[in-house]
Amino acid sequence: MKAAFKAVFVFLVFVFLLYGIPGEKDSSVKLPAGTIYVQAQKESFPDLPLEKEVAVFDENGSEIWRLESPAYVETVMLPDGTLQDQVSGLHPSGCLLFVSMGGGMGGGVWDTATRSWILEIQQGEFTFTEQDGILLSFTLGDQCYDAGFRPLPENAQPSFKIDGQSLINTQDSSGQKYIAKADGTYFLGFDDFILKNELLEAPLPQGGLEIFQTFQDRSMVVGGSYNATTVIGGKAHWRDLRYLCDSSGNILYRDWNRSSIGYAVDQYGELDRRYLEFSSVDGVPSQFLDLETGNPITLPEGWLWLTYKGNGLFLLENNQEYCIYDAKTHSLGLSFQTKLTRTRIFLFGKESYALQSRSGTKYNQLLIGKKKVELAEDTESLDIIPGDTPVILENRADGTCSASYILDAEGNLLYKGDGPILSADSDYYIEKYDTEYKIRLR
């Protein structure tokens, strides 16, 4: 009997030394060489019941920096100047974090290579000027900086690159706006633009012509504003006019919407630089252009409205009937109904979606790979943590999390956890116990 007990004891010691305590996860997860992990939220995304703080971990999984709440990361800039809209997850070592303190309380830029501020916290909010995801300049409060973090003169105009040249907005002695080359010479003005494109129909821009954005060094958005009505509430009512043009100022898609033209915004509020959205203030559906193929997104027959959700997925709508449409493959996914006007719909793939309801707990709904997830009876809400590897939190009324679901970019279930997962990326996810973060290998 003693011999048997001793054998069992020796075996358990061997298992402990080899694997650690059964059920315990390795807390010293190593990240890929040359990477860091950033845990943060964006202020622009709806509030999540998670910590509003920033934490950074080195490739050994050790925390190297933390900024207490309230703190957010608005964008991450890679060493080549590319802006990353997804802030949480793996990033190359040496990237820069554009940190916001929230509510206009200030912001700064933190360097993950030197582990120090490259631009100290100061008052104001960030705004960015970029081309195809590359930072050209940014403002923080009243100060404008170039991509090298050098302050630009007051009232400096951002430049826009197209067809191998840089353009700026300027105006003549009478205040009429026009587009000039970076050296100040004339490029395109309102009168020439009207004649070139034979624009005779009203409305037309008033006050001149401006450039607002360029795409892939070959097309640009120009336009201005016009007074839509004489007086509304004692003030002039101005509306924007935008035109997508080639590098010479010839209008492209001239019959499309003209209230706003820019990169499509997905369900998380992030830009998708593959698609352009032409929107209108007149209650008509947006129109979309695929910049990669050069083809318009055609609304499938039988549907009246489409909304961009991300990763090439559009939500089709017709009188409270919905369907998932994959514009990359021109194929339809799941169809469903909801009559609730306060429901937010998130798409994770052609066969996975979530209904995030504010009309009552029973109206929350989650489908993963065509299968309806049976939510716990005490589930109060579904919270979505955005990203290429999204996380769905199933929360109780007291704010505690009963389950977490990690999905891949196609909406397939990668992992289900019992507690709150704060973010996920590739094979890694992060949790928090009391005040300590833990990076886990899925």
XYZ file of all heavy atoms in Angstrom, residues 3 15 19 28 77 130 155 158 166 190 201 210 247 294 305 333 335 376 382 395 397 427 430-431:
182
model
N 3.896 1.422 -1.028
C 4.604 1.496 -2.313
C 3.715 2.120 -3.382
O 4.159 2.924 -4.206
C 5.061 0.098 -2.738
N 4.193 15.144 -12.928
C 3.213 15.907 -13.711
C 3.301 17.388 -13.365
O 3.251 18.252 -14.251
C 1.792 15.366 -13.479
C 0.749 16.298 -14.078
C 1.652 13.974 -14.069
N 4.103 19.973 -16.225
C 2.986 20.763 -16.761
C 2.519 21.892 -15.844
O 1.731 22.740 -16.263
C 1.784 19.856 -17.033
C 2.054 18.808 -18.087
C 2.238 17.475 -17.727
C 2.115 19.149 -19.439
C 2.485 16.500 -18.687
C 2.367 18.174 -20.405
C 2.544 16.856 -20.031
O 2.778 15.908 -20.975
N 3.447 33.054 -18.849
C 4.627 33.677 -19.453
C 4.632 33.419 -20.958
O 5.590 32.887 -21.499
C 5.901 33.135 -18.807
O 5.959 31.721 -18.956
N 0.723 54.127 -35.273
C 1.496 54.383 -36.481
C 2.689 53.442 -36.533
O 3.501 53.395 -35.612
C 1.974 55.837 -36.547
C 2.573 56.182 -37.914
S 2.972 57.938 -38.116
C 4.608 57.973 -37.387
N -4.344 62.000 -43.979
C -3.595 60.850 -44.466
C -3.962 60.565 -45.908
O -4.962 61.053 -46.408
C -3.869 59.617 -43.597
C -5.342 59.354 -43.328
C -5.942 58.245 -44.164
O -5.380 57.929 -45.230
O -6.974 57.700 -43.765
N -1.931 78.139 -39.126
C -2.764 78.199 -40.334
C -2.117 77.505 -41.531
O -2.469 77.774 -42.687
C -3.107 79.645 -40.717
C -3.853 80.372 -39.616
O -4.711 79.775 -38.953
N -3.524 81.635 -39.398
N -2.652 71.680 -45.078
C -2.150 70.339 -45.394
C -2.007 70.162 -46.897
O -2.742 70.774 -47.679
C -3.241 69.418 -44.831
C -4.481 70.258 -44.797
C -4.019 71.658 -44.514
N 2.173 67.686 -55.265
C 1.475 68.051 -54.042
C 0.595 69.264 -54.296
O 1.031 70.237 -54.925
C 2.477 68.358 -52.928
O 3.232 67.214 -52.603
N -12.544 77.305 -59.455
C -13.965 77.033 -59.641
C -14.403 77.210 -61.092
O -15.050 76.320 -61.664
C -14.777 77.953 -58.721
C -16.265 77.853 -58.918
C -16.969 76.768 -58.430
C -16.950 78.834 -59.613
C -18.340 76.672 -58.624
C -18.322 78.748 -59.808
C -19.018 77.660 -59.314
N -26.101 72.441 -63.966
C -27.217 72.249 -63.041
C -26.888 72.812 -61.665
O -25.730 72.825 -61.242
C -27.561 70.758 -62.924
C -26.606 69.917 -62.082
C -25.372 69.434 -62.842
O -25.134 69.918 -63.970
O -24.648 68.596 -62.291
N -12.192 73.612 -53.398
C -11.179 73.092 -52.479
C -10.905 71.627 -52.787
O -11.735 70.930 -53.379
C -11.654 73.196 -51.029
C -11.907 74.601 -50.533
C -12.398 74.597 -49.094
O -11.560 74.351 -48.200
O -13.601 74.810 -48.877
N -6.983 63.032 -61.797
C -5.915 63.952 -61.417
C -5.943 65.261 -62.206
O -5.231 66.203 -61.859
C -4.554 63.282 -61.597
O -4.372 62.873 -62.947
N -12.083 48.672 -59.010
C -12.589 49.778 -59.815
C -14.058 49.645 -60.165
O -14.589 50.425 -60.981
N -31.790 49.050 -49.518
C -30.804 49.807 -48.752
C -29.619 48.907 -48.443
O -29.781 47.709 -48.230
C -31.427 50.302 -47.439
C -30.693 51.459 -46.831
C -29.587 51.400 -46.043
C -31.003 52.840 -46.983
N -29.187 52.661 -45.673
C -30.044 53.578 -46.236
C -31.987 53.541 -47.658
C -30.045 54.954 -46.159
C -31.999 54.921 -47.578
C -31.037 55.620 -46.842
N -25.544 35.832 -47.819
C -25.428 34.990 -46.647
C -26.769 34.826 -45.967
O -27.816 34.754 -46.628
N -30.256 35.412 -44.013
C -31.330 36.403 -43.970
C -31.995 36.308 -42.603
O -32.075 35.228 -42.007
C -32.360 36.147 -45.073
O -31.779 36.307 -46.345
N -27.296 32.597 -21.762
C -27.746 32.304 -20.404
C -29.007 33.100 -20.074
O -29.239 34.188 -20.612
C -26.635 32.629 -19.412
N -25.130 41.961 -24.858
C -23.995 41.482 -25.628
C -23.124 42.685 -25.948
O -23.610 43.684 -26.489
C -24.456 40.827 -26.932
C -25.214 39.505 -26.831
C -25.666 39.063 -28.218
C -24.351 38.428 -26.185
N -22.919 39.359 -20.996
C -22.854 39.992 -19.685
C -24.166 39.867 -18.916
O -25.249 39.925 -19.494
C -22.504 41.480 -19.827
C -21.086 41.681 -20.302
O -20.180 40.929 -19.946
N -20.878 42.679 -21.145
N -26.689 41.275 -15.612
C -27.192 42.591 -15.199
C -26.236 43.294 -14.246
O -26.161 44.528 -14.221
C -28.569 42.453 -14.547
N -3.309 34.228 -32.467
C -3.400 33.123 -31.515
C -3.402 33.582 -30.059
O -3.340 32.748 -29.151
C -2.222 32.164 -31.722
C -2.268 31.481 -33.075
O -3.377 31.206 -33.552
O -1.198 31.241 -33.665
N -6.176 38.390 -24.249
C -5.727 38.974 -22.991
C -6.887 39.038 -22.001
O -8.032 39.324 -22.364
C -5.103 40.372 -23.225
C -4.363 40.862 -21.993
C -6.145 41.381 -23.670
C -3.456 42.054 -22.264
N -6.578 38.717 -20.759
C -7.550 38.786 -19.660
C -6.949 39.640 -18.548
O -5.767 39.995 -18.578
C -7.847 37.380 -19.128
C -8.476 36.451 -20.145
C -8.645 35.042 -19.607
O -7.672 34.513 -19.032
O -9.731 34.483 -19.771
